[in-house]
Short mmCIF file of all heavy atoms in Angstrom, two decimals:
data_model
loop_
_atom_site.label_atom_id
_atom_site.label_comp_id
_atom_site.label_asym_id
_atom_site.label_seq_id
_atom_site.Cartn_x
_atom_site.Cartn_y
_atom_site.Cartn_z
N THR A 1 0.82 -1.22 0.00
CA THR A 1 0.00 0.00 0.00
C THR A 1 0.85 1.27 0.00
O THR A 1 0.67 2.13 -0.88
CB THR A 1 -0.99 0.00 1.18
OG1 THR A 1 -1.88 -1.09 1.04
CG2 THR A 1 -1.78 1.31 1.21
N PRO A 2 1.78 1.48 0.95
CA PRO A 2 2.60 2.69 0.90
C PRO A 2 3.50 2.71 -0.33
O PRO A 2 3.81 3.80 -0.85
CB PRO A 2 3.42 2.64 2.19
CG PRO A 2 3.38 1.21 2.61
CD PRO A 2 2.05 0.69 2.16
N LEU A 3 3.91 1.54 -0.82
CA LEU A 3 4.72 1.52 -2.03
C LEU A 3 3.93 2.05 -3.22
O LEU A 3 4.44 2.86 -3.99
CB LEU A 3 5.20 0.09 -2.30
CG LEU A 3 6.00 -0.10 -3.61
CD1 LEU A 3 7.26 0.75 -3.60
CD2 LEU A 3 6.35 -1.57 -3.81
N ARG A 4 2.70 1.61 -3.35
CA ARG A 4 1.88 2.08 -4.46
C ARG A 4 1.57 3.57 -4.35
O ARG A 4 1.51 4.27 -5.36
CB ARG A 4 0.59 1.26 -4.53
CG ARG A 4 0.82 -0.15 -5.06
CD ARG A 4 -0.40 -1.02 -4.98
NE ARG A 4 -0.17 -2.32 -5.61
CZ ARG A 4 -0.99 -3.35 -5.52
NH1 ARG A 4 -2.10 -3.24 -4.82
NH2 ARG A 4 -0.70 -4.48 -6.12
N GLU A 5 1.37 4.05 -3.12
CA GLU A 5 1.16 5.49 -2.92
C GLU A 5 2.40 6.27 -3.35
O GLU A 5 2.31 7.33 -3.98
CB GLU A 5 0.83 5.77 -1.46
CG GLU A 5 -0.52 5.25 -1.01
CD GLU A 5 -0.74 5.39 0.48
OE1 GLU A 5 0.23 5.76 1.20
OE2 GLU A 5 -1.86 5.13 0.95
N ALA A 6 3.57 5.73 -3.00
CA ALA A 6 4.83 6.38 -3.38
C ALA A 6 5.01 6.37 -4.89
O ALA A 6 5.42 7.39 -5.49
CB ALA A 6 6.01 5.67 -2.72
N LEU A 7 4.70 5.26 -5.52
CA LEU A 7 4.84 5.18 -6.97
C LEU A 7 3.90 6.16 -7.67
O LEU A 7 4.26 6.76 -8.68
CB LEU A 7 4.56 3.75 -7.44
CG LEU A 7 5.61 2.70 -7.04
CD1 LEU A 7 5.13 1.29 -7.44
CD2 LEU A 7 6.97 3.00 -7.67
N ALA A 8 2.70 6.33 -7.11
CA ALA A 8 1.75 7.29 -7.70
C ALA A 8 2.32 8.70 -7.67
O ALA A 8 2.18 9.46 -8.63
CB ALA A 8 0.41 7.22 -6.95
N SER A 9 2.96 9.06 -6.56
CA SER A 9 3.54 10.41 -6.46
C SER A 9 4.72 10.56 -7.42
O SER A 9 4.92 11.63 -8.01
CB SER A 9 3.98 10.70 -5.02
OG SER A 9 5.07 9.90 -4.64
N LEU A 10 5.48 9.50 -7.62
CA LEU A 10 6.62 9.55 -8.53
C LEU A 10 6.17 9.59 -9.99
O LEU A 10 6.84 10.21 -10.84
CB LEU A 10 7.54 8.34 -8.29
CG LEU A 10 8.25 8.35 -6.95
CD1 LEU A 10 8.93 7.00 -6.70
CD2 LEU A 10 9.27 9.47 -6.86
N ILE A 11 5.04 8.98 -10.29
CA ILE A 11 4.46 9.09 -11.63
C ILE A 11 4.06 10.54 -11.89
O ILE A 11 4.30 11.09 -12.96
CB ILE A 11 3.26 8.14 -11.78
CG1 ILE A 11 3.74 6.68 -11.80
CG2 ILE A 11 2.48 8.45 -13.06
CD1 ILE A 11 2.61 5.67 -11.68
N ALA A 12 3.44 11.16 -10.87
CA ALA A 12 3.03 12.56 -11.01
C ALA A 12 4.23 13.47 -11.21
O ALA A 12 4.16 14.47 -11.94
CB ALA A 12 2.24 13.00 -9.77
N GLU A 13 5.36 13.14 -10.58
CA GLU A 13 6.58 13.94 -10.73
C GLU A 13 7.25 13.72 -12.07
O GLU A 13 8.05 14.55 -12.51
CB GLU A 13 7.59 13.57 -9.63
CG GLU A 13 7.18 14.00 -8.26
CD GLU A 13 8.12 13.45 -7.20
OE1 GLU A 13 9.18 12.90 -7.57
OE2 GLU A 13 7.80 13.57 -6.01
N GLY A 14 6.98 12.60 -12.71
CA GLY A 14 7.62 12.30 -13.98
C GLY A 14 8.84 11.40 -13.88
O GLY A 14 9.50 11.14 -14.89
N ALA A 15 9.15 10.90 -12.68
CA ALA A 15 10.30 10.02 -12.53
C ALA A 15 9.99 8.59 -12.97
O ALA A 15 10.90 7.84 -13.34
CB ALA A 15 10.77 10.01 -11.07
N ILE A 16 8.71 8.25 -12.92
CA ILE A 16 8.27 6.91 -13.31
C ILE A 16 7.10 7.06 -14.27
O ILE A 16 6.30 8.00 -14.15
CB ILE A 16 7.86 6.09 -12.06
CG1 ILE A 16 9.11 5.74 -11.24
CG2 ILE A 16 7.10 4.83 -12.44
CD1 ILE A 16 8.79 5.07 -9.92
N LYS A 17 7.01 6.18 -15.24
CA LYS A 17 5.88 6.20 -16.17
C LYS A 17 5.08 4.91 -16.03
O LYS A 17 5.63 3.83 -15.82
CB LYS A 17 6.37 6.36 -17.61
CG LYS A 17 7.34 5.29 -18.08
CD LYS A 17 7.85 5.59 -19.48
CE LYS A 17 8.91 4.55 -19.91
NZ LYS A 17 9.46 4.85 -21.23
N HIS A 18 3.75 5.05 -16.12
CA HIS A 18 2.87 3.89 -16.03
C HIS A 18 2.40 3.49 -17.42
O HIS A 18 1.93 4.33 -18.19
CB HIS A 18 1.66 4.19 -15.16
CG HIS A 18 0.68 3.06 -15.09
ND1 HIS A 18 0.95 1.91 -14.38
CD2 HIS A 18 -0.54 2.89 -15.67
CE1 HIS A 18 -0.07 1.08 -14.52
NE2 HIS A 18 -0.98 1.65 -15.29
N GLN A 19 2.54 2.22 -17.73
CA GLN A 19 2.06 1.70 -19.00
C GLN A 19 0.93 0.71 -18.70
O GLN A 19 1.15 -0.31 -18.02
CB GLN A 19 3.19 1.00 -19.76
CG GLN A 19 4.32 1.95 -20.15
CD GLN A 19 5.38 1.27 -20.99
OE1 GLN A 19 5.21 0.13 -21.42
NE2 GLN A 19 6.48 1.98 -21.23
N PRO A 20 -0.28 1.00 -19.16
CA PRO A 20 -1.43 0.12 -18.89
C PRO A 20 -1.14 -1.34 -19.26
O PRO A 20 -0.58 -1.62 -20.31
CB PRO A 20 -2.54 0.72 -19.78
CG PRO A 20 -2.15 2.15 -19.92
CD PRO A 20 -0.65 2.17 -19.98
N ARG A 21 -1.53 -2.22 -18.37
CA ARG A 21 -1.38 -3.66 -18.52
C ARG A 21 0.07 -4.14 -18.53
O ARG A 21 0.34 -5.33 -18.67
CB ARG A 21 -2.11 -4.17 -19.78
CG ARG A 21 -3.62 -3.96 -19.74
CD ARG A 21 -4.29 -4.51 -20.96
NE ARG A 21 -3.85 -3.85 -22.18
CZ ARG A 21 -4.32 -2.68 -22.60
NH1 ARG A 21 -5.27 -2.05 -21.91
NH2 ARG A 21 -3.89 -2.14 -23.71
N ARG A 22 1.00 -3.22 -18.38
CA ARG A 22 2.42 -3.61 -18.34
C ARG A 22 3.08 -3.28 -17.01
O ARG A 22 3.95 -3.99 -16.55
CB ARG A 22 3.19 -2.93 -19.48
CG ARG A 22 2.83 -3.42 -20.87
CD ARG A 22 3.85 -2.96 -21.87
NE ARG A 22 5.17 -3.52 -21.57
CZ ARG A 22 6.32 -2.96 -21.96
NH1 ARG A 22 6.32 -1.82 -22.62
NH2 ARG A 22 7.46 -3.52 -21.64
N GLY A 23 2.67 -2.17 -16.39
CA GLY A 23 3.25 -1.81 -15.10
C GLY A 23 3.94 -0.47 -15.11
O GLY A 23 3.71 0.37 -15.99
N ASN A 24 4.79 -0.26 -14.11
CA ASN A 24 5.51 1.00 -13.93
C ASN A 24 6.97 0.84 -14.32
O ASN A 24 7.60 -0.16 -13.98
CB ASN A 24 5.40 1.47 -12.47
CG ASN A 24 3.97 1.75 -12.07
OD1 ASN A 24 3.22 2.38 -12.80
ND2 ASN A 24 3.58 1.27 -10.89
N PHE A 25 7.50 1.85 -15.00
CA PHE A 25 8.87 1.81 -15.51
C PHE A 25 9.60 3.10 -15.15
O PHE A 25 9.01 4.18 -15.11
CB PHE A 25 8.87 1.63 -17.04
CG PHE A 25 8.31 0.32 -17.49
CD1 PHE A 25 6.94 0.12 -17.57
CD2 PHE A 25 9.16 -0.73 -17.84
CE1 PHE A 25 6.40 -1.11 -17.99
CE2 PHE A 25 8.64 -1.95 -18.26
CZ PHE A 25 7.26 -2.13 -18.33
N VAL A 26 10.90 2.96 -14.91
CA VAL A 26 11.75 4.13 -14.62
C VAL A 26 11.94 4.94 -15.89
O VAL A 26 12.35 4.39 -16.93
CB VAL A 26 13.12 3.69 -14.07
CG1 VAL A 26 14.01 4.90 -13.85
CG2 VAL A 26 12.94 2.91 -12.76
N ARG A 27 11.62 6.21 -15.83
CA ARG A 27 11.82 7.06 -17.01
C ARG A 27 13.30 7.34 -17.20
O ARG A 27 14.01 7.65 -16.24
CB ARG A 27 11.07 8.37 -16.86
CG ARG A 27 9.56 8.23 -16.93
CD ARG A 27 8.89 9.59 -17.02
NE ARG A 27 9.29 10.26 -18.25
CZ ARG A 27 9.20 11.58 -18.44
NH1 ARG A 27 8.78 12.35 -17.46
NH2 ARG A 27 9.56 12.12 -19.58
N PRO A 28 13.78 7.28 -18.43
CA PRO A 28 15.20 7.54 -18.67
C PRO A 28 15.54 9.01 -18.47
O PRO A 28 14.68 9.89 -18.60
CB PRO A 28 15.40 7.12 -20.13
CG PRO A 28 14.05 7.25 -20.75
CD PRO A 28 13.07 6.90 -19.66
N LEU A 29 16.79 9.26 -18.16
CA LEU A 29 17.29 10.63 -18.06
C LEU A 29 17.55 11.14 -19.47
O LEU A 29 18.24 10.48 -20.26
CB LEU A 29 18.59 10.64 -17.25
CG LEU A 29 18.48 10.15 -15.81
CD1 LEU A 29 19.83 9.65 -15.31
CD2 LEU A 29 17.97 11.25 -14.91
N THR A 30 17.01 12.29 -19.82
CA THR A 30 17.18 12.82 -21.17
C THR A 30 17.57 14.29 -21.15
O THR A 30 17.22 15.03 -20.22
CB THR A 30 15.89 12.68 -21.99
OG1 THR A 30 14.88 13.55 -21.45
CG2 THR A 30 15.38 11.24 -21.99
#
């Protein structure tokens, strides 16, 4: 539960991207 809450905040920040039916992935540094 706290992990998923943390991942949601990181998705909002742009550090992680969510892909439907695939999961969460670390966004590359660009």
Side-chain angles (χ1 to χ4, degrees):
T1 298
L3 176 60
R4 286 174 175 169
E5 291 173 352
L7 291 174
S9 68
L10 293 170
I11 290 169
E13 291 173 10
I16 289 174
K17 57 184 176 182
H18 177 72
Q19 296 184 9
R21 297 182 297 279
R22 291 194 63 204
N24 298 315
F25 295 80
V26 176
R27 291 190 63 201
L29 299 156
T30 67

